[in-house]
Amino acid sequence: MNAAIAPDAAFDLVVRNARVATAGDVFDADIGVRAGRIVALAQGLAAGASEIDARGRWVLPGGVDAHCHLAQPTSDGSRMADDFVSGTRSAACGGTTTVIPFAAQMKGQSLAQAVRDYHAVADGKACIDYAFHMIVSDATAEVVRDELPALIGQGYTSFKIYMTYDDMKLGDREILDVLDVARREGALTMIHAESSDCIAWLTERLLARGLQAPRYHGLSRPPVVEREATHRAISLAELLDTPILIVHVSGPEATDQIRWAQTRGLSIYAETCPQYLFLTADDLEGEGMHGARCICSPPPRDAASQQAIWNGLANGTFQVFSSDHAPFRYDDPQGKQPQGPDTPFNHVPNGIPGLETRLALLFSEGVLEDRIDINTFVALTSTNPAKLYGLYPRKGTIAIGADADMVIWDTDTPRVVHNAELHHNVDYTPYEGRLLRAWPAVTLSRGKVVYEDGVYRGQAGAGQFLQCEKPAPARTARSRHRHLPWLSALADAAS
């Protein structure tokens, strides 16, 4: 596919005969790259120092996976299998060119120290570009007053908060404090919406009856648990007129709450993930600990829930499709079986691997099965996350001045997913044996080939850390304050 050209060529790279799709357009062009940026889009461009002929293939912006966990510290003795070397290698081989994992604050820890610690494990290791979200799990007065505003100003312009997990969750009062900072500073808040007390109540009673197998994880987190917390998160955001993004939505109950809020004009964004399109509660079944491989929260639901998620992707309820890659090895005491083959479901680390398979799953089953169009695919997997997290237009599109992050897609060669052929450091994939009709042929990160025809060609440390701008979707519509007298009163008092 590559051809070498004279060294005095007009461009470092030309991608010839590209069938380009962005979030809004489809067009045919040659793509000229110089110094890692796209500098020309035209037909019949002059020669490049190297060239790739993409004739007959889609050329799309590189994926932006805005929700993945790499080398993240835990409090329960478990250990994530992927660090920034293996995780970004896997991402690149699946067509993702930017990742945004989480600098996680532990209870009692400074948020600023959490960010410094995460840089220590990330910098110099990634083969593709990366930014950080923050996880705020200890909203002390100092964090809210000093650290969070300062970090937002330094380019960490998004953060996640949890409504569940004892070692991570914030109460409603703490959530309001954090949302207030986001509103004032122009940051975007991601919320894991599940009702902690409901989950704890159900879990206690299931375990008391000896019901501890992986299948009971789903029963401890029924849809009403997600629906209630989603509505509560929306209500807290409405109180402060603050945009939020509800992450990893699993089914119609929470989706309906989000759609209701959006139709009322609230700035509520939403994300879903492959596990809610391609897994169901049946995947938590099986002998012994087999179902632990698919334990994640919220859990996979049923076929009707899958259809509701497809509907939400098609009708615009969801703005983002992320992997929520949380890589724990199955056959590992620091992974899915910390207490061996009798580990109760509530002690199984939550999460499944998905960085490398995210894009191919959605392209194959979404675009090629006519569930969504190619522009929606680009928006969900690249453009929208870049916009929501302050990286657009450097990332998320094929345009003059954007980074030359591109994927040339092979839609002619069916491929069966086998974990042995993936590039993560996890000992399984939940999508083993699934037949896909699309897979990246070439992945380019800032104009450099990092994956080509089944071979990883990237280099650890080549990825750059990205400081994020304050995202436009996080801005509060100040004009609405006149309809919210409590906010008007606070604003008047402050002035």
Side-chain angles (χ1 to χ4, degrees), residues 247-457:
V247 296
H248 47 52
V249 176
S250 72
E253 294 80 6
T255 301
D256 288 348
Q257 297 297 310
I258 293 162
R259 191 71 171 173
W260 169 82
Q262 292 169 343
T263 59
R264 296 182 67 234
L266 301 180
S267 297
I268 306 299
Y269 305 103
E271 168 205 271
T272 194
C273 309
Q275 47 268 40
Y276 306 118
L277 294 177
F278 304 107
L279 302 178
T280 69
D282 291 344
D283 291 290
L284 298 176
E285 301 285 345
E287 293 295 324
M289 292 296 294
H290 181 81
R293 302 178 314 152
C294 295
I295 282 183
C296 58
S297 295
R301 305 295 186 188
D302 56 19
S305 295
Q306 290 178 336
Q307 186 57 52
I309 298 300
W310 279 118
N311 293 344
L313 291 172
N315 68 24
T317 302
F318 296 109
Q319 289 72 47
V320 184
F321 185 77
S322 304
S323 69
D324 194 11
H325 179 77
F328 295 97
R329 293 176 66 85
Y330 172 66
D331 190 15
D332 190 333
Q334 290 185 299
K336 289 288 190 176
Q337 302 186 58
Q339 298 177 22
D342 295 318
T343 302
F345 69 83
N346 62 318
H347 288 291
V348 175
N350 269 253
I352 60 175
L355 255 176
E356 192 165 347
T357 49
R358 172 185 72 119
L359 294 177
L361 284 165
L362 190 63
F363 201 129
S364 182
E365 299 298 322
V367 178
L368 299 184
E369 293 295 330
D370 293 326
R371 291 183 171 106
I372 59 173
D373 63 29
I374 192 73
N375 306 108
T376 300
F377 173 86
V378 173
L380 288 165
T381 61
S382 185
T383 308
N384 288 350
K387 288 181 176 180
L388 283 162
Y389 299 117
L391 294 175
Y392 186 85
R394 178 177 178 181
K395 303 295 185 182
T397 193
I398 293 177
I400 304 298
D403 284 353
D405 294 349
M406 295 176 280
V407 181
I408 302 171
W409 281 88
D410 179 2
T411 57
D412 298 320
T413 310
R415 172 173 175 156
V416 177
V417 177
H418 294 301
N419 192 65
E421 297 173 1
L422 300 180
H423 297 80
H424 58 200
N425 193 34
V426 189
D427 56 359
Y428 75 98
T429 171
Y431 311 110
E432 184 75 33
R434 181 177 287 271
L435 177 65
L436 299 180
R437 296 164 52 205
W439 198 268
V442 179
T443 304
L444 295 158
S445 173
R446 284 183 282 107
K448 301 294 184 184
V449 174
V450 291
Y451 173 81
E452 184 176 23
D453 295 331
V455 179
Y456 169 66
R457 300 193 183 280

Side-chain angles (χ1 to χ4, degrees), residues 149-327:
L151 288 163
I152 293 168
Q154 295 166 21
Y156 308 91
T157 60
S158 54
F159 50 83
K160 183 179 180 182
I161 56 179
Y162 289 82
M163 300 174 80
T164 189
Y165 301 135
D166 288 343
D167 57 345
M168 307 290 281
K169 68 181 179 181
L170 300 182
D172 288 358
R173 175 67 179 269
E174 294 170 306
I175 292 173
L176 287 171
D177 285 339
V178 173
L179 290 179
D180 189 40
V181 175
R183 178 175 62 88
R184 185 175 66 248
E185 302 294 335
L188 185 66
T189 306
M190 311 160 70
I191 299 184
H192 178 138
E194 290 184 291
S195 176
S196 183
D197 286 341
C198 292
I199 293 166
W201 190 91
L202 287 166
T203 298
E204 179 181 308
R205 279 152 181 79
L206 287 167
L207 294 177
R209 289 159 175 78
L211 305 177
Q212 67 173 38
R215 66 174 65 92
Y216 296 107
H217 171 76
L219 296 184
S220 74
R221 304 174 110 92
V224 64
V225 164
E226 185 182 3
R227 185 194 70 197
E228 183 278 329
T230 298
H231 183 83
R232 182 156 41 98
I234 290 168
S235 299
L236 296 174
E238 182 180 15
L239 181 69
L240 289 177
D241 194 23
T242 305
I244 60 170
L245 187 146
I246 307 294
V247 296
H248 47 52
V249 176
S250 72
E253 294 80 6
T255 301
D256 288 348
Q257 297 297 310
I258 293 162
R259 191 71 171 173
W260 169 82
Q262 292 169 343
T263 59
R264 296 182 67 234
L266 301 180
S267 297
I268 306 299
Y269 305 103
E271 168 205 271
T272 194
C273 309
Q275 47 268 40
Y276 306 118
L277 294 177
F278 304 107
L279 302 178
T280 69
D282 291 344
D283 291 290
L284 298 176
E285 301 285 345
E287 293 295 324
M289 292 296 294
H290 181 81
R293 302 178 314 152
C294 295
I295 282 183
C296 58
S297 295
R301 305 295 186 188
D302 56 19
S305 295
Q306 290 178 336
Q307 186 57 52
I309 298 300
W310 279 118
N311 293 344
L313 291 172
N315 68 24
T317 302
F318 296 109
Q319 289 72 47
V320 184
F321 185 77
S322 304
S323 69
D324 194 11
H325 179 77

Side-chain angles (χ1 to χ4, degrees), residues 14-38:
V14 174
V15 179
R16 296 275 179 204
N17 306 306
R19 183 64 166 164
V20 178
T22 67
D25 295 296
V26 173
F27 56 91
D28 297 318
D30 297 340
I31 305 169
V33 176
R34 192 181 299 127
R37 296 281 181 104
I38 296 171

